[in-house]
Amino acid sequence: MPNIRQRALLIIVTAITALVTVAVAYQALPGRAFAADDFQWLLNVRDRSFLAIAARAFDVSAESHFYRPLVWLLLWSEWRLFGFDPGAFHRVSLTLHVINAALIGWLTFRMVRAQSSIAPVIGYAVSALTTALHPAPFEAVVWVSAQSELLAAFFLVLTLHCWWSAGRVDTASLRRWFWYSAAAATQTCALMTKESAIIGLPLIVLIEWESARQMRRRMALLPLVLPLLATIVYLFAALDVASRNYLVRESGYSFGAQLLLNPLRSLGLIVAPLPGVEYGREAWLPLAGACVVLAGLIALPIAWRYGSAASLLTGMLALIVTLAPTAPFASSPDSRYLYLPVMVLALMTGRWSSALTDRVMPADLSGIRSNDRRHAADMRTLSWVGRLWVGMAVILVALALGALAVNEIRGREVRFAAGARPGEELRLFAAAQCATGRLDRMLIVEPPIAAPHVEAIIRLSCGSGPYTMVIGSGDIEHEVRPHTLVVVFDGGFPRPLMRTSTQ
């Protein structure tokens, strides 16, 4: 447990992380509108009671896309609390994001073994700030529909905390099994939030390995039965749903070169989050990822020399596990799928920072081998000068990286909001048009929005009254009927082309 000084520093670091994330990096987010799938989710939860939404959410046979019952409950709760206020939904996303940053920072703090009391705090700060301010997974924060990524990560990190706590308890204690059971429960919640949480089981095995290594004990294999059973049960439900998934039928997922290229591309997006590359279409990204893999392989023997190869290997395996869900996509994986890999990288970076801090700022001078007290005093003086220079350099580098990260997050958030603007404009336009009189049909001509999103927007704005069709410009004449509104888009903004009456 942290001492009083450490607790004070942890509170300060958490407050700084929250402030920079909410008030600086994602400052404009609460003012943004809903986007794309958000409208479909809201339409699905809008008119249901709690019992109806619970029955729908947990009904495997009713799903034809993904099995995410807790996301249904989350969005239904938000709709009941906030209605059509996107700013409130975005604040929920920001809250989950900050909590996740603090949780991964706290996991780093707990896993660090150091002589210096400040080293675990440095690890916490690096992990929390890296998670909060890394630009790569920005979509998970700025898109309401991607709250599934945030919530699944929340439950998965809680799972790792519970399992780590179990490893710190006497093997004969019921308290240890309480923590194992808690870990299985939170893992189950993660599985019911996002299908990629299937990686929870290998992550549990890895943290058990790390815990056993630190505690100098054998791995506890029997408790792994609990998360294994949860994973097997979930797989039966997930495979049933996948058999009806249109993405699977239309080869949205497949086997091929992308099984290797997509994880490398994702790794490239994480280590090189440059302006304009957030959608992963650049050909050099897999090469950048391959360079990172090569650097990791070179670092292993070096880490072996310093006795940290096992920790590095654990981190590399965890990174591979979290990148695995990006592999089967036929197209480049979206940035929101990088949320968990970034958290793993943040954990690794935090532990490395702690180890470096422990070397630069030891708890005492017991490691100095000198029979000459005067020489030892000189070493102490030089040591403090060195620490000062190192500290200043680290602070300057951290500030520079933080400024670059914040600037990139804000740029990506603006570009995402610009892409989502036509949907919000259509919603406002449709609501105004439907309020002016009878409208039986609404023809949307070649919109810059997917047809299912257009239909959801019209139903949210006008109810079930007007029949909505997305058509091409050549079909207008054939589809016009009495009480029909024809809508075209001009520069991303909808405008009425014609509106018919009874004739």
Side-chain angles (χ1 to χ4, degrees):
M1 292 297 292
N3 57 39
I4 295 177
R5 179 189 177 194
Q6 288 176 322
R7 289 177 184 175
L9 290 173
L10 291 176
I11 292 172
I12 292 172
V13 171
T14 304
I16 291 173
T17 302
L19 181 64
V20 174
T21 302
V22 175
V24 182
Y26 293 98
Q27 179 186 17
L29 183 58
R32 302 305 187 187
F34 293 114
D37 292 354
D38 297 349
F39 298 106
Q40 290 177 283
W41 275 110
L42 295 179
L43 182 63
N44 286 330
V45 303
R46 181 182 61 174
D47 298 323
R48 299 177 189 260
S49 66
F50 174 76
L51 292 178
I53 201 68
R56 171 63 181 81
F58 289 95
D59 184 2
V60 176
S61 63
E63 283 294 347
S64 59
H65 193 49
F66 296 114
Y67 187 60
R68 302 175 183 175
L70 294 190
V71 177
W72 281 83
L73 296 181
L74 173 64
L75 292 173
W76 178 86
S77 300
E78 290 178 90
W79 174 263
R80 289 288 174 173
L81 289 171
F82 312 129
F84 225 117
D85 179 11
F89 284 75
H90 289 310
R91 291 185 188 96
V92 172
S93 296
L94 285 172
T95 301
L96 283 171
H97 185 47
V98 171
I99 290 173
N100 286 341
L103 282 174
I104 202 68
W106 179 238
L107 185 61
T108 304
F109 182 95
R110 300 180 70 190
M111 295 179 72
V112 166
R113 301 180 69 183
Q115 296 297 319
S116 171
S117 62
I118 196 66
V121 178
I122 295 297
Y124 176 97
V126 171
S127 293
L129 287 168
T130 300
T131 299
L133 299 179
H134 200 295
F138 80 104
E139 196 177 67
V141 184
V142 303
W143 192 17
V144 172
S145 294
Q147 285 182 353
S148 56
E149 301 287 343
L150 304 176
L151 191 60
F154 169 76
F155 284 125
L156 282 177
V157 179
L158 277 185
T159 299
L160 300 182
H161 272 286
C162 291
W163 204 272
W164 189 261
S165 296
R168 265 41 189 174
V169 178
D170 182 11
T171 55
S173 173
L174 289 176
R175 185 181 173 193
R176 189 175 191 184
W177 279 98
F178 165 79
W179 285 116
Y180 284 139
S181 302
T186 51
Q187 181 220 11
T188 302
C189 290
L191 289 169
M192 291 192 293
T193 302
K194 181 76 176 179
E195 58 284 347
S196 58
I198 199 77
I199 64 174
L201 180 60
L203 289 179
I204 290 172
V205 173
L206 288 174
I207 202 165
E208 170 60 25
W209 177 29
E210 181 69 12
S211 176
R213 188 183 64 84
Q214 287 196 16
M215 298 297 289
R216 301 180 186 277
R217 60 172 176 81
R218 293 182 178 180
M219 288 181 62
L221 299 180
L222 182 60
L224 292 173
V225 172
L226 295 176
L228 177 61
L229 288 175
T231 302
I232 291 173
V233 171
Y234 171 78
L235 275 174
F236 278 108
L239 291 174
D240 181 36
V241 174
S243 66
R244 300 185 293 274
N245 191 325
Y246 75 94
L247 287 175
V248 175
R249 293 197 304 269
E250 297 176 5
S251 300
Y253 305 102
S254 60
F255 295 98
Q258 77 271 16
L259 293 179
L260 176 61
L261 291 178
N262 277 347
L264 291 176
R265 186 185 305 275
S266 299
L267 194 55
L269 284 167
I270 292 173
V271 299
L274 303 177
V277 305
E278 57 261 38
Y279 298 109
R281 301 186 183 98
E282 287 69 20
W284 55 266
L285 285 170
L287 180 60
C291 290
V292 175
V293 173
L294 180 61
L297 293 176
I298 294 173
L300 272 176
I302 300 174
W304 184 274
R305 180 180 177 184
Y306 291 96
S308 57
S311 295
L312 177 59
L313 181 59
T314 304
M316 291 173 65
L317 290 174
L319 191 57
I320 292 171
V321 167
T322 53
L323 286 170
T326 68
F329 287 98
S331 58
S332 300
D334 294 328
S335 63
R336 61 184 179 276
Y337 301 124
L338 305 181
Y339 195 77
L340 277 172
V342 164
M343 294 183 79
V344 170
L345 185 64
L347 177 64
M348 295 172 66
T349 307
R351 296 187 69 184
W352 295 337
S353 302
S354 297
L356 178 61
T357 302
D358 202 39
R359 289 182 180 275
V360 175
M361 301 182 65
D364 51 48
L365 296 176
S366 59
I368 299 178
R369 296 181 178 180
S370 175
N371 294 323
D372 187 346
R373 292 185 179 181
R374 181 176 180 181
H375 181 53
D378 290 341
M379 290 179 68
R380 183 185 292 112
T381 302
L382 290 173
S383 177
W384 276 109
V385 171
R387 294 174 198 175
L388 179 61
W389 281 108
V390 169
M392 290 177 62
V394 168
I395 290 173
L396 288 175
V397 170
L399 289 175
L401 291 175
L404 290 173
V406 166
N407 184 65
E408 181 59 21
I409 286 173
R410 295 175 78 163
R412 294 186 179 196
E413 190 276 328
V414 168
R415 291 191 290 273
F416 184 87
R421 190 65 192 174
E424 176 64 7
E425 293 295 335
L426 178 60
R427 184 185 73 83
L428 298 173
F429 172 84
Q433 291 293 324
C434 290
T436 60
R438 179 181 172 183
L439 193 59
D440 295 338
R441 292 167 66 86
M442 191 175 294
L443 307 180
I444 314 298
V445 182
E446 299 177 356
I449 314 166
H453 302 156
V454 169
E455 294 168 5
I457 290 169
I458 302 303
R459 288 191 61 186
L460 284 168
S461 303
C462 302
S464 58
Y467 175 71
T468 305
M469 288 185 64
V470 175
I471 61 173
S473 57
D475 299 324
I476 297 176
E477 184 178 347
H478 303 290
E479 298 296 340
V480 172
R481 305 284 190 278
H483 300 291
T484 297
L485 174 66
V486 180
V487 181
V488 295
F489 277 80
D490 185 6
F493 290 85
R495 63 178 180 84
L497 181 64
M498 68 172 71
R499 181 165 184 164
T500 64
S501 59
T502 55
Q503 301 300 323

